[in-house]
Amino acid sequence: MTQVTPQPPAAVPEIDDGATIERTPQRPSPLRDAWRSFRRNRAALIGMVIIALIIVIACLANVVAPYSPVAQFRDSVLTPPFWQDGGSLRFVLGTDDLGRDILSRLIHGARLSMTIGVIVVSLSLGIGVLLGLLAGFLRGWIDTVIMRLMDIMLSIPSLLLAVVVVAVLGPGLFNAMLAIAVVYLPHYVRLTRSSVITEREREYVMASRLAGAGVFRLMFITILPNCLAPLIVQATLSFSNAVLDAAALGFLGLGAQPPTPEWGSMLADARQYVLQAWWVVTFPGLAVLITVLAFNIMGDGLRDALDPRLKR
Amino acid sequence: MLLAGTDYTFAVAETPMLSFVFRKLLMLIPTLLGITLVTFTLVHLIPGDPVAIMAGERGISAERHAEVMAELGLDRPMWEQYLSFLGNLAHGDLGHSLISSNPVLDEFMSLFPATLELGFCAMLLAVCLGIPLGVIAGIKRGSIIDHTVMGTSLTGYSMPIFWWGLLLIIFFSGILGWTPVSGRLSSSYWIDTPTGFMLIDTLLSGEPGAFADALRHLILPTIVLATIPLAVIARMTRSSILEVLGEDYIRTARAKGLSPWRIIAIHALRNAMIPVTTVIGLQIGLLFSGAILTETIFSWPGIGKWLIDAVGRRDYPSLQGGILLIALIVMMVNLIVDLLYGLINPRIRNSR
């Protein structure tokens, strides 16, 4: 979606023989069309740039971060950021209660948050699409069972469900990711199922079926590509939610465990210093907010570009 | 002739509505059964030994351990435990908390008003602020106001509310000293709580200053819990107003020379409210997730904090009872929202 494909030079209208009259006008590919509309949305572009920046920082964390995220400088515990009295450029954003450099921890936290987003979205997207395809395409009792289960999951508040799943699996970053992926399943299943139900009545599906396409071909090759637009939008939006929810679980002590520099668990560690050292609390949350905001802005832009029907 | 016709359609419109409600209620039963099965399974999969946790640091002898397990029925096979759970449930018995040994239902009911009070105030704030903001942003589309409202609401929507709560504490409690950090009422007040709603109880008590104190405790948690619903409602109202303003009947109303205020308030808003009601209904379900975090930050003695504590203490009965009751509430709210559509939009009512 994001790569800039060089635009072919506009076709020069040929004024010659009558043979060209039959030529149908060239339609721009849907992807290029979407990119053109996305490019016009300045906010969405800014969001994309911020995300690109976060990804670069996350990839180069070992190079960019001034210190190790777990290195403790016992001589400078709770140092304020450099612009405050007592702060120095040695620790740009200050240190926490164990004397760890906050900036370094944030940078390494970016890596964790991106990983969380990718894993959660891949898991819930993959399984959700599969279940949604099965339910929407096969209908019957499979549909009933899957959708009933999704209804049950939706009627339990998401964070509560995630907390219970983490309690079952045991606290930890990976289990938190699994729990969040489980919680997001119903959205993907519902979205896929409803698109599949509309699409499968279309003529091109009938044509494909008449041509002898098997069930798997119909599901994955004929129908699925036509249901992708809302799924892509949902994936971007749930990426940001995954970052947010992982931080919430970390904050409740159920996600990443110390000394992992995950943003939410950094906040949990810092909670007791909330009235003494504002920087310990402020920066990790700001990192979560900026990341989530960037993804939401981009998701909004993508939705407008990919799926004009959903335009709000 | 005309009258008879009216009566006829009225009767037809009434019956499907009732049968619709009835059908919806019937459909809740399998879902609720499913929820009991899912929560029971999940809760019993949680590793750890509740009896050992009850015994605490002192430990417990093996014989006594087996005795307590038998007393609590935890030594029986899973399916037997599940069936007895269902049987008790049919009698309105959700079991007893393993920690306090009070009935789960009683504990839930004694804590629920705190969550309800907080949730109600948050929803009130979100609706009373979100709808006007969304309407203004929609009418003044593309203006600075619009961009500000939309930018702010997208930020609010992306807000990690546990962090937002801490920031508010830093500023309002730490720097300004205006609001207390936690709880529902300062310990200097000692009042009866007949209703469980602190704002009402403090008013009833007649104690001078108690109401203001309860209010000051409520402000920050309310703002924190309202943030996401507020953002969602403002965004939804704006887009829905924009859609409605493009309709033909608005143009007709304009052409008739109605005042812009009347067009918005009477013609546009009523139709724009339909999708907004859906969103408000959905937000009530999400409110519980927010309540877990908000109550944890502000040590608010409500359901959210109780459930998180129950997870930590392996309090199976409290956990499964609590989840079941919350799921029931969420489903009832969704049902009510479904029915409300009919009230707001006669087209939906008649089409059923």
Coordinates of all heavy atoms in Angstrom, one line a residue, chain B residues 7-23 349 352:
Chain B
D7 N -56.4 1.4 13.4 CA -56.4 0.4 14.5 C -55.7 -0.9 14.1 O -54.9 -1.4 14.9 CB -57.9 0.1 14.9 CG -58.4 1.1 15.9 OD1 -57.5 1.8 16.5 OD2 -59.6 1.2 16.1
Y8 N -56.0 -1.3 12.9 CA -55.5 -2.5 12.4 C -53.9 -2.5 12.4 O -53.3 -3.4 13.0 CB -56.0 -2.8 11.0 CG -55.5 -4.0 10.4 CD1 -55.9 -5.3 10.9 CD2 -54.6 -4.0 9.4 CE1 -55.4 -6.4 10.3 CE2 -54.1 -5.1 8.8 CZ -54.5 -6.4 9.3 OH -54.0 -7.5 8.7
T9 N -53.4 -1.5 11.8 CA -51.9 -1.4 11.7 C -51.3 -1.3 13.1 O -50.2 -1.8 13.4 CB -51.4 -0.2 10.9 OG1 -52.2 0.9 11.3 CG2 -51.7 -0.4 9.4
F10 N -52.0 -0.6 14.0 CA -51.5 -0.5 15.3 C -51.3 -1.8 16.0 O -50.3 -2.1 16.6 CB -52.5 0.4 16.2 CG -51.9 0.7 17.5 CD1 -50.9 1.6 17.7 CD2 -52.5 0.2 18.6 CE1 -50.4 1.9 18.9 CE2 -52.0 0.5 19.9 CZ -51.0 1.3 20.0
A11 N -52.4 -2.6 15.9 CA -52.4 -4.0 16.5 C -51.2 -4.8 15.9 O -50.5 -5.5 16.6 CB -53.7 -4.7 16.3
V12 N -51.1 -4.7 14.6 CA -50.0 -5.5 13.9 C -48.6 -5.0 14.4 O -47.8 -5.8 14.7 CB -50.1 -5.4 12.4 CG1 -48.9 -6.0 11.7 CG2 -51.4 -6.1 11.9
A13 N -48.5 -3.7 14.6 CA -47.2 -3.2 15.0 C -46.9 -3.6 16.4 O -45.7 -3.7 16.8 CB -47.2 -1.7 14.8
E14 N -47.9 -3.7 17.2 CA -47.7 -4.0 18.6 C -47.2 -5.5 18.8 O -46.2 -5.7 19.5 CB -49.0 -3.9 19.4 CG -49.3 -2.5 19.9 CD -48.2 -2.0 20.9 OE1 -48.1 -2.6 22.0 OE2 -47.5 -1.1 20.6
T15 N -47.9 -6.4 18.2 CA -47.6 -7.8 18.5 C -46.1 -8.2 18.1 O -45.4 -8.8 18.9 CB -48.6 -8.7 17.8 OG1 -49.8 -8.0 17.7 CG2 -48.7 -10.0 18.5
P16 N -45.7 -7.8 16.9 CA -44.3 -8.2 16.5 C -43.3 -7.6 17.5 O -42.3 -8.3 17.8 CB -44.1 -7.6 15.1 CG -45.4 -7.3 14.6 CD -46.3 -7.1 15.8
M17 N -43.6 -6.4 18.0 CA -42.6 -5.8 19.0 C -42.5 -6.7 20.2 O -41.4 -7.0 20.7 CB -43.1 -4.4 19.3 CG -42.2 -3.6 20.2 SD -40.8 -3.1 19.2 CE -39.8 -2.3 20.4
L18 N -43.7 -7.1 20.7 CA -43.7 -8.0 21.9 C -43.0 -9.3 21.6 O -42.1 -9.8 22.4 CB -45.1 -8.2 22.4 CG -45.6 -7.2 23.3 CD1 -47.1 -7.5 23.7 CD2 -44.8 -7.1 24.6
S19 N -43.3 -9.9 20.5 CA -42.7 -11.2 20.2 C -41.2 -11.0 20.0 O -40.4 -11.9 20.2 CB -43.4 -11.8 19.0 OG -42.9 -11.3 17.8
F20 N -40.9 -9.9 19.4 CA -39.4 -9.6 19.2 C -38.7 -9.6 20.6 O -37.6 -10.2 20.7 CB -39.3 -8.2 18.5 CG -37.9 -7.7 18.4 CD1 -37.0 -8.3 17.5 CD2 -37.4 -6.7 19.2 CE1 -35.7 -7.9 17.3 CE2 -36.1 -6.3 19.0 CZ -35.3 -6.8 18.1
V21 N -39.3 -8.9 21.5 CA -38.7 -8.8 22.9 C -38.6 -10.2 23.4 O -37.5 -10.6 24.0 CB -39.5 -7.9 23.8 CG1 -38.9 -8.0 25.2 CG2 -39.5 -6.5 23.3
F22 N -39.6 -11.0 23.3 CA -39.7 -12.3 23.9 C -38.6 -13.2 23.2 O -37.9 -13.9 23.9 CB -41.1 -12.9 23.6 CG -41.3 -14.2 24.4 CD1 -41.4 -14.2 25.8 CD2 -41.5 -15.3 23.7 CE1 -41.6 -15.3 26.5 CE2 -41.8 -16.5 24.4 CZ -41.8 -16.5 25.8
R23 N -38.5 -13.1 21.9 CA -37.6 -13.9 21.2 C -36.2 -13.6 21.6 O -35.3 -14.4 21.8 CB -37.7 -13.7 19.7 CG -37.7 -15.0 18.9 CD -38.0 -14.8 17.4 NE -37.4 -13.6 16.8 CZ -38.1 -12.7 16.2 NH1 -39.4 -12.9 16.0 NH2 -37.5 -11.7 15.6
R349 N -39.2 0.1 14.0 CA -40.3 -0.5 14.8 C -41.3 -1.2 13.9 O -41.7 -2.4 14.1 CB -41.0 0.5 15.6 CG -42.1 0.0 16.6 CD -42.5 1.0 17.5 NE -43.0 2.2 16.9 CZ -42.8 3.4 17.3 NH1 -42.1 3.7 18.4 NH2 -43.3 4.5 16.6
R352 N -40.4 -4.5 11.9 CA -40.3 -5.8 12.5 C -41.6 -6.5 12.5 O -42.4 -6.5 13.3 CB -39.8 -5.6 14.0 CG -38.3 -5.6 14.0 CD -37.8 -5.2 15.3 NE -36.3 -5.0 15.2 CZ -35.7 -4.1 16.0 NH1 -36.3 -3.4 16.9 NH2 -34.4 -4.0 15.9

